[in-house]
């Protein structure tokens, strides 16, 4: 009976109405109906508890979603504030930009400056060319090499002397016996090679690349007992990189050393 009273106190008025009529006309309680109604009330109570739990869970979820939404709203407000700040800065910067008229003036000034720079570059190029031409015209190219000991070069071989006395411009290569023109121009080339052996002779030729441009012949007859000079003196135009050398063409006589024999050349006039 106490249980019913407690249930009645906890349930809604509609639920209490279900229990109140469960008595007979004589005032006695109908146990069977009472049990059925109690069971029904327990089911209703369990359902209410379940709904309450579900409602509580939904409330927690809703609160979580509300917090997330609040955080997102705060972030959006922060971004909006930053955007407003950037917009203010952009407006300020735009207010400082020159007008279209000022921009046109600036472009015109830049074009004028570019034209002036181009003209200056052309002047500099012309000056450089002039200076280069002056330097070339004033270039000093000359070499002289002598022979320290007697040699007997083989036929058709390049004659190589070993005692370099002068090599301004660095055109002569003592190892190969070849002179390479470092400057284009007119050169004078000479050679004085003495046939040392008696009753023998020496024939030499001067080559410019594959072209033979000069030759000489000297003899030392036994009856004369004097050495004979084999002389070459010529002028030739050499372009930059052209090469010249002397070759033994004939005879078996030695070439006298001890600086009696020598050859060389010099730039007379440079050509631009």
């Amino acid at each position: 009976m106490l249980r019913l009273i407690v249930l009645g106190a906890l349930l809604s008025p509609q639920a209490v109405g279900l229990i109140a009529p469960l008595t007979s006309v004589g005032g006695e309680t109908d146990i069977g109906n009472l049990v059925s109604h109690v069971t029904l009330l327990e089911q209703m109570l369990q359902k209410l508890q379940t709904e309450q739990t579900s409602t509580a869970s939904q409330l927690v979820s809703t609160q979580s979603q509300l917090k997330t939404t609040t955080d997102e709203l705060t972030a959006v407000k922060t971004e909006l504030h930053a955007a407003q700040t950037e917009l203010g800065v952009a407006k300020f910067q735009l207010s400082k930009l020159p007008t279209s008229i000022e921009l046109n003036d600036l472009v015109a000034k830049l074009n004028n400056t570019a034209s002036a720079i181009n003209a200056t570059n052309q002047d500099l190029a012309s000056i450089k060319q002039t200076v280069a031409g002056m330097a070339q015209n004033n270039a000093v190219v000359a070499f002289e090499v002598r022979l320290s000991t007697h040699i007997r070069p083989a036929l058709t071989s390049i004659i190589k002397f070993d005692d370099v006395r002068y090599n301004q411009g660095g055109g002569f290569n003592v190892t190969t016996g070849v002179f390479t023109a470092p400057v284009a121009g007119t050169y004078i080339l000479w050679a004085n090679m003495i046939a040392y052996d008696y009753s023998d002779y020496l024939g030499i030729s001067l080559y410019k690349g594959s072209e033979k441009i000069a030759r000489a012949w000297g003899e030392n007859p036994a009856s004369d007992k004097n050495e004979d000079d084999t002389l070459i003196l010529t002028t030739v135009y050499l372009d930059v990189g052209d090469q010249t050398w002397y070759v033994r063409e004939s005879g078996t006589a030695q070439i006298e050393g001890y600086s009696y024999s020598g050859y060389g050349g010099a730039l007379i006039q440079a050509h631009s």
Side-chain angles (χ1 to χ4, degrees):
M1 190 64 176
L2 180 59
R3 181 182 180 184
L4 294 177
I5 294 173
V6 173
L7 288 174
L10 296 175
L11 296 177
S12 62
Q14 293 81 357
V16 175
L18 294 174
I19 300 173
L22 297 180
T23 58
S24 63
V25 179
E28 295 178 356
T29 302
D30 189 342
I31 300 301
N33 290 336
L34 179 59
V35 172
S36 297
H37 282 283
V38 169
T39 301
L40 179 61
L41 289 173
E42 288 178 344
Q43 291 175 352
M44 293 176 63
L45 179 61
Q46 184 177 3
K47 181 179 180 182
L48 289 174
Q49 290 175 343
T50 301
E51 291 177 353
Q52 181 182 7
T53 302
S54 176
T55 301
S57 298
Q58 292 177 0
L59 180 59
V60 172
S61 176
T62 302
Q63 289 176 341
S64 176
Q65 292 176 359
L66 180 60
K67 184 178 182 306
T68 301
T69 303
T70 302
D71 294 341
E72 292 176 352
L73 181 59
T74 302
V76 169
K77 288 182 178 179
T78 302
E79 293 177 358
L80 179 59
H81 179 72
Q84 289 176 341
T85 302
E86 292 178 359
L87 179 60
V89 173
K91 287 181 178 179
F92 176 77
Q93 292 176 343
L94 286 174
S95 67
K96 298 299 182 180
L97 290 177
T99 63
S100 59
I101 297 176
E102 292 172 337
L103 287 175
N104 290 334
D105 291 341
L106 180 59
V107 171
K109 290 179 180 179
L110 289 175
N111 289 334
N112 292 335
T113 302
S115 299
I117 291 175
N118 290 333
T120 302
N121 287 336
Q122 292 176 359
D123 292 341
L124 287 175
S126 177
I127 291 172
K128 287 181 179 179
Q129 185 175 5
T130 301
V131 170
M134 293 174 61
Q136 186 177 31
N137 291 333
N138 293 328
V140 177
V141 180
F143 75 101
E144 180 182 356
V145 58
R146 292 187 175 273
L147 181 63
S148 61
T149 59
H150 305 331
I151 61 172
R152 195 189 308 272
L155 289 176
T156 70
S157 65
I158 296 177
I159 299 172
K160 303 174 185 178
F161 286 4
D162 59 343
D163 184 12
V164 179
R165 298 294 181 87
Y166 192 66
N167 191 19
Q168 182 67 33
F172 180 70
N173 187 324
V174 67
T175 303
T176 62
V178 175
F179 170 73
T180 303
V183 176
T186 301
Y187 287 79
I188 183 171
L189 300 175
W190 58 268
N192 179 23
M193 302 184 191
I194 300 174
Y196 180 73
D197 296 323
Y198 298 137
S199 301
D200 206 345
Y201 68 95
L202 173 67
I204 62 174
S205 296
L206 172 61
Y207 279 83
K208 172 189 173 184
S210 59
E211 178 187 3
K212 185 187 298 184
I213 60 174
R215 61 187 305 180
W217 184 85
E219 182 180 10
N220 187 4
S223 60
D224 192 5
K225 304 295 183 182
N226 291 318
E227 294 89 351
D228 193 12
D229 294 336
T230 306
L231 300 174
I232 288 179
L233 180 64
T234 187
T235 57
V236 62
Y237 172 78
L238 298 178
D239 202 352
V240 176
D242 283 348
Q243 295 181 324
T244 65
W245 58 86
Y246 291 91
V247 172
R248 179 178 191 138
E249 293 284 1
S250 61
T252 59
Q254 294 186 91
I255 301 175
E256 186 173 8
Y258 305 111
S259 300
Y260 286 103
S261 298
Y263 61 85
L267 173 66
I268 300 175
Q269 177 65 52
H271 295 253
S272 57

